Amino acid sequence: MRNLFISLLSCLAIISCATTPATDPADPNINETADQFVARINQEIIENSRENEAAYWVYSTYITPDTEVLVTKAGERGLAFASEMLKGANKFDENLLSGETARAIKSIKLGSSMPAPDDADKRAEIAGLSAKLEGLYGKGKYCKSEGDCKDLGELSKIIATSRDYNELEEAWTGWRTISTEMRPLYERFVELMNEGATEMGFDDTSVVWRAGYDMSVDEFDTETVRLWDQVKPLYDDLHCYVRDKLAENYGSDKVPTDQPIPAHLLGNMWAQSWADIYDMLEPYAGVSNLDVTASLEDGGYTPVQMTEMAEGFFTSLGLPELPDSFYKNSLLEKPADRDVVCHASAWPMGNGEDVRIKQCIEPTEESLTTIHHELGHIYYYLMQKDLPPLFKDGAHDGFHEAIGDTVVLSMTPQYLQNLGLVDNVATSEKALINQQMKTALERVAFLPFGKMIDEWRWRVFSGEISPEEYNQGWWDLREKYQGIRPPVTRTEADFDPGAKYHIPGNTPYTRYFLAHILQFQFHKSLCETAGHTGPLHECSIYGSKEAGMRLGDMLALGSSKPWQEAMTAVTGQPNMDGSAILDYFAPLQGWLKEQNAGKSCGW
Ligand code: X8Z
Ligand code: ZN
């Protein structure tokens, strides 16, 4: 998660760039230089963020109509501050400034994923919509009948563990009942954000979202397409193998081998990670035991113990221990008696002095992986404690999302055995294929999902997908990229995008696609730094102070430099590139090609 306050804020109209300040006699900062302006804003962000953070934290961990009022009011004030900040920034032309001042001014002009109109009533409206959408997701439950309700955690467990086609279908469609009422709210939300974006001089909100990558929007589009083209063949090989196995399990009447896969059979509510159906897909049965969930369950691991385990990886790299306040203030468990937004997040509260995570931790491998992911954000915050607030961010947002995941790539079977989470680790070729299959089901399966979410949103923002086509447009992209289809007919009475957190939560998603590319690049380079010489999939950087230092130095840069410099600091070159993930999975891809020989792949 990027700087929480900034990301909640918006900017406004009036693109009147000038190097000399405008002459408004009522403006007390009239003679401010750009440097003075940036210094003042950095100070005001610290002062103004506190209320906003507190309100959002309380709302997210205790969703009630009252906390919704509080968060809406705080949001309104935050947006008003953002408007003022933007007006101030627009007095300066960053192209005529240099260094960090130019970068800071630019970051204010691009700093919001929720551009709001500069009108108090509309600011109140958009703050209210944002809170409502988030709340609807957080408290969403599928009620089969009165008193028989299931939340996302319970429905996800069914999707992960049941192998009954009809039971899966009910859990899948059941969860999607929570988002139908979001549709009109979302439509208005988009309208207001676009109004904000055009006031700021952008064509629509999608341009704001794509403008923050130290390259032109066109270059960024080309870059994401290039990266997807690089990795698509690997995804296609995995898809072909998985579909065939599912057809064996459920019958080819239910899973025709020339059609997109029914979306409810892949072990995850959104089919974004398929690791939970590994048991159905295991290449070599009985060769290796990779069931971390069983060990966590049997071992009675608590959320705090699991978090300490993850912290232990980061400290082994020479990074600092988490402050006591982290354990005191974080929410690590789903409270029994109230609604919370369970979707995991990391919070740099109190200007990074009071870092926290919010996660409904369960004794599962997925939870353990997510804790590492969240701590990646937390260590980014911790390593940036001396940076001005405007630079407390990722080199780009994909960097922020990649740190914890990079660490998880070092959780090799050997590492897990050392922790007592798996036993009898095998080192054969067959064991390797099993292990790679499990990792690919999580990380390769994710790639097209990571790409398609914002393809949908960018088109929604630009108007290419109209409100009357929200659901159809969503499923067209799900089919195109992921090769999946809904298990039952969907119509425009549904709003399936709203059943995925980041749509009501308005969190840009291309960051995760990029992170899934970057994490393999980072892993490869950090393994070299750690002195690893064998195949990449055997490398664990656990305990390497050298790798930790290299990573820490990059985190400490925050967003103060173009991301290409941060990339160079870790990998020695400035580009994002899919070849590291392809190298990593080369053994599995070779094996998949053998398995798929003679089959009809594709959809
Ligand atoms: O949203 C997240 C994190 C918080 S930034 C838990 N992730 C994406 C998702 O859950 O959809 C991590 C992987 C992708
Ligand atoms: Zn994240």
Side-chain angles (χ1 to χ4, degrees):
M1 177 184 281
R2 47 165 303 153
N3 183 316
L4 186 81
F5 187 55
I6 299 287
S7 68
L8 294 169
L9 301 185
S10 154
C11 310
L12 96 154
I14 313 179
I15 302 294
S16 62
C17 296
T19 42
T20 45
T23 51
D24 174 359
D27 181 355
N29 304 305
I30 188 164
N31 292 319
E32 231 174 11
T33 64
D35 282 343
Q36 286 166 338
F37 168 72
V38 168
R40 175 170 64 83
I41 291 299
N42 273 318
Q43 190 53 37
E44 287 181 3
I45 289 176
I46 298 173
E47 288 157 14
N48 293 346
S49 300
R50 200 63 199 86
E51 178 200 13
N52 214 289
E53 293 166 352
Y56 268 88
W57 176 266
V58 172
Y59 182 52
S60 303
T61 59
Y62 190 9
I63 309 170
T64 72
D66 294 330
T67 55
E68 187 183 315
V69 172
L70 298 178
V71 82
T72 301
K73 283 286 166 201
E76 267 178 69
R77 277 192 286 276
L79 292 174
F81 171 63
S83 277
E84 288 312 308
M85 190 162 72
L86 183 68
K87 280 179 195 163
N90 280 336
K91 293 178 191 168
F92 302 100
D93 180 352
E94 66 273 18
N95 299 311
L96 302 176
L97 299 165
S98 60
E100 298 202 337
T101 306
R103 204 163 168 78
I105 298 269
K106 199 170 161 204
S107 86
I108 295 172
K109 292 182 183 177
L110 294 172
S112 175
S113 51
M114 194 175 98
D118 185 30
D119 170 284
D121 289 344
K122 287 181 178 169
R123 275 202 298 262
E125 189 183 357
I126 202 169
L129 285 168
S130 161
K132 206 167 256 335
L133 285 163
E134 177 111 18
L136 282 172
Y137 187 93
K139 65 184 184 209
K141 284 173 198 67
Y142 162 55
C143 296
K144 194 171 180 173
S145 56
E146 216 182 295
D148 180 9
C149 297
K150 289 192 170 63
D151 63 21
L152 176 59
E154 293 163 312
L155 295 167
S156 289
K157 190 158 187 184
I158 295 173
I159 297 279
T161 56
S162 171
R163 302 295 176 249
D164 179 301
Y165 192 95
N166 295 329
E167 188 185 17
L168 287 165
E169 188 179 296
E170 190 190 344
W172 191 94
T173 48
W175 175 243
R176 282 157 180 77
T177 59
I178 68 117
S179 52
T180 50
E181 69 178 294
M182 291 178 194
R183 179 187 268 267
L185 308 182
Y186 192 74
E187 186 180 337
R188 178 68 181 147
F189 186 57
V190 169
E191 221 169 78
L192 288 170
M193 283 199 293
N194 275 342
E195 212 175 301
T198 44
E199 284 180 9
M200 288 164 63
F202 295 96
D203 285 349
D204 60 68
T205 308
S206 80
V207 185
V208 184
W209 281 22
R210 290 177 291 159
Y213 291 91
D214 295 307
M215 54 174 76
S216 74
V217 169
D218 283 348
E219 283 166 344
F220 181 65
D221 288 350
T222 307
E223 186 63 354
T224 57
V225 170
R226 181 184 71 79
L227 293 168
W228 169 238
D229 285 345
Q230 265 189 301
V231 297
K232 183 180 182 325
L234 175 59
Y235 177 74
D236 288 347
D237 290 338
L238 184 67
H239 181 281
C240 191
Y241 170 79
V242 168
R243 182 174 61 189
D244 227 59
K245 284 278 167 197
L246 288 174
E248 278 173 26
N249 274 270
Y250 290 101
S252 53
D253 55 328
K254 296 230 164 34
V255 187
T257 51
D258 56 354
Q259 297 288 313
I261 302 172
H264 62 313
L265 304 180
L266 290 155
N268 172 277
M269 188 54 89
W270 309 276
Q272 69 182 67
S273 158
W274 306 346
D276 279 321
I277 56 164
Y278 172 77
D279 58 325
M280 268 197 248
L281 308 169
E282 188 168 53
Y284 298 105
V287 167
S288 36
N289 168 21
L290 301 173
D291 196 347
V292 172
T293 297
S295 307
L296 291 169
E297 237 167 41
D298 297 347
Y301 280 86
T302 65
V304 170
Q305 284 172 325
M306 289 169 65
T307 308
E308 285 171 345
M309 196 185 271
E311 179 187 8
F313 199 116
F314 286 89
T315 53
S316 89
L317 300 176
L319 295 168
E321 283 180 11
L322 295 170
D324 291 344
S325 60
F326 171 89
Y327 284 100
K328 192 160 155 263
N329 295 337
S330 288
L331 182 143
L332 301 178
E333 228 165 323
K334 184 172 167 23
D337 56 351
R338 61 182 204 257
D339 287 323
V340 302
V341 180
C342 266
H343 190 84
S345 50
W347 301 58
M349 314 241 321
N351 193 27
E353 297 282 320
D354 178 11
V355 291
R356 310 175 185 181
I357 66 171
K358 171 181 69 59
Q359 188 184 338
C360 301
I361 298 174
E362 301 272 348
T364 63
E365 181 171 11
E366 193 199 343
S367 263
L368 186 63
T369 303
T370 302
I371 299 171
H372 287 80
H373 176 95
E374 296 309 330
L375 290 195
H377 292 306
I378 293 293
Y379 277 96
Y380 228 136
Y381 302 144
L382 291 178
M383 297 311 284
Q384 297 174 346
K385 66 179 182 0
D386 298 325
L387 281 178
L390 284 168
F391 292 151
K392 285 189 176 182
D393 212 338
H396 67 48
D397 53 8
F399 280 64
H400 229 299
E401 298 302 338
I403 306 308
D405 294 12
T406 300
V407 161
V408 175
L409 287 176
S410 280
M411 294 170 66
T412 54
Q414 190 56 56
Y415 169 79
L416 293 169
Q417 177 165 310
N418 294 345
L419 285 183
L421 291 179
V422 300
D423 49 26
N424 293 328
V425 167
T427 50
S428 62
E429 187 65 20
K430 288 181 176 172
L432 166 64
I433 297 300
N434 278 355
Q435 178 205 334
Q436 289 224 317
M437 176 62 76
K438 190 144 177 266
T439 310
L441 291 173
E442 193 192 325
R443 304 201 184 204
V444 176
F446 180 83
L447 292 163
F449 184 75
K451 184 80 180 79
M452 64 75 48
I453 297 258
D454 281 351
E455 291 274 332
W456 181 80
R457 261 188 307 205
W458 295 341
R459 287 173 203 203
V460 164
F461 294 151
S462 75
E464 197 183 319
I465 296 178
S466 70
E468 297 71 43
E469 303 160 323
Y470 275 171
N471 228 50
Q472 186 59 45
W474 176 260
W475 282 106
D476 287 348
L477 290 165
R478 295 270 264 168
E479 176 170 336
K480 173 181 166 190
Y481 280 97
Q482 292 183 275
I484 63 172
R485 64 170 173 82
V488 294
T489 305
R490 309 303 283 166
T491 72
E492 294 302 325
D494 303 305
F495 183 54
D496 294 331
K500 173 66 194 165
Y501 170 73
H502 301 71
I503 304 296
N506 198 41
T507 312
Y509 211 83
T510 307
R511 58 182 64 185
Y512 304 106
F513 171 69
L514 299 177
H516 277 68
I517 304 280
L518 292 176
Q519 60 194 251
F520 288 90
Q521 290 185 267
F522 294 166
H523 182 59
K524 187 173 178 179
S525 295
L526 294 175
C527 284
E528 279 163 22
T529 306
H532 178 80
T533 47
L536 192 52
H537 51 260
E538 282 176 12
C539 165
S540 176
I541 62 167
Y542 181 82
S544 169
K545 304 287 183 280
E546 293 77 10
M549 193 159 346
R550 196 164 189 139
L551 181 64
D553 286 350
M554 182 195 79
L555 302 184
L557 288 175
S559 60
S560 65
K561 301 274 189 287
W563 64 261
Q564 290 86 348
E565 285 185 42
M567 175 67 96
T568 305
V570 175
T571 67
Q573 60 78 54
N575 300 312
M576 297 190 274
D577 186 50
S579 59
I581 183 170
L582 297 178
D583 285 354
Y584 184 95
F585 286 112
L588 178 72
Q589 194 172 12
W591 185 86
L592 286 170
K593 285 199 184 302
E594 283 169 23
Q595 304 302 308
N596 294 338
K599 286 183 199 157
S600 73
C601 295
W603 55 89

